[in-house]
Amino acid sequence: MFETLDDVRKDAQTRLVGAMEDRRSPMHTPVVATADADARVMVLRHFAPWSLRFHTDTRAPKVAVIARNPQIGVLFYDKAAKVQIRVRGQARVESEGAVAQAAWEASDNFARRCYLGDGPGTLAAGPASGLPEAFEGVEPSDAELAPARANFAVLLVEIHQLDWFHLAHDGHRRAVFDLATGAAQWVTP
């Protein structure tokens, strides 16, 4: 059982580190919601207290939404542990610079090939990945991937508020943290 706010803060941090490091973690693919109330599942690529990093396509509609209104929410859930973590913060998209370049270089060519195809949301005549036919199931070379780099970006989230919730048979527990001020409090579930 979690008895102190410090225990809860440590638990949230440990779970988010685990979500970043373990692709089998249930929190590895949280739901990310932009200010237009559009939500999607994304892969958590990096967590450092208290910021998140995801990868995105510069042509994705969420990029324009974030440029207009950077407020964002992210929902993590671990069904087995019965722990939900909701965060709110400010997002920004970077396609240039050291962080974006390092993320691009750390990705393998299979992951990079996603940025070769049509932009997210492009209409298709039937079921389609959007990839050029030559790269369906094929790993492109570094040279073939050169044009894809222009479509790659990182979505960075600075967390301002963290809401931790634990479902428990003997009584649910919930705590809220204002990470900007350092304030923390227990709240009723």
Side-chain angles (χ1 to χ4, degrees):
M1 184 56 75
F2 301 93
E3 297 298 326
T4 70
L5 290 167
D6 193 48
D7 290 342
V8 172
R9 185 188 311 264
K10 288 176 185 173
D11 180 71
Q13 189 168 339
T14 298
R15 288 180 189 284
L16 294 176
V17 167
M20 168 190 68
E21 294 175 344
D22 181 2
R23 61 182 296 163
R24 290 179 300 276
S25 165
M27 292 188 173
H28 184 62
T29 52
V31 175
V32 178
T34 45
D36 61 348
D38 196 7
R40 78 277 296 145
V41 172
M42 295 183 75
V43 175
L44 178 64
R45 302 294 182 169
H46 186 74
F47 166 75
W50 292 98
S51 64
L52 308 170
R53 188 185 81 224
F54 302 91
H55 295 175
T56 193
D57 192 305
T58 59
R59 303 164 295 172
K62 69 179 162 288
V63 172
V65 171
I66 291 167
R68 287 190 308 273
N69 186 339
Q71 293 181 40
I72 199 159
V74 184
L75 171 65
F76 298 87
Y77 185 62
D78 183 333
K79 181 179 179 180
K82 298 181 180 178
V83 172
Q84 170 184 277
I85 298 172
R86 294 185 300 163
V87 301
R88 291 184 181 154
Q90 296 286 109
R92 71 182 187 280
V93 176
E94 292 182 6
S95 59
E96 301 295 326
V99 174
Q101 187 60 34
W104 174 258
E105 290 171 4
S107 298
D108 65 28
N109 284 3
F110 261 112
R112 291 178 189 169
R113 75 186 174 127
C114 297
Y115 303 95
L116 279 173
D118 296 330
T122 301
L123 295 177
S129 69
L131 289 172
E133 192 173 319
F135 301 119
E136 288 282 351
V138 175
E139 183 174 344
S141 69
D142 289 343
E144 292 168 320
L145 284 166
R149 176 61 183 89
N151 300 323
F152 175 81
V154 291
L155 168 60
L156 304 169
V157 177
E158 180 184 339
I159 301 171
H160 294 161
Q161 183 186 55
L162 185 139
D163 185 319
W164 177 95
F165 180 66
H166 180 239
L167 293 163
H169 180 69
D170 58 347
H172 309 320
R173 298 290 185 265
R174 183 174 170 209
V176 176
F177 300 85
D178 181 327
L179 300 170
T181 66
Q185 59 190 16
W186 293 106
V187 295
T188 57

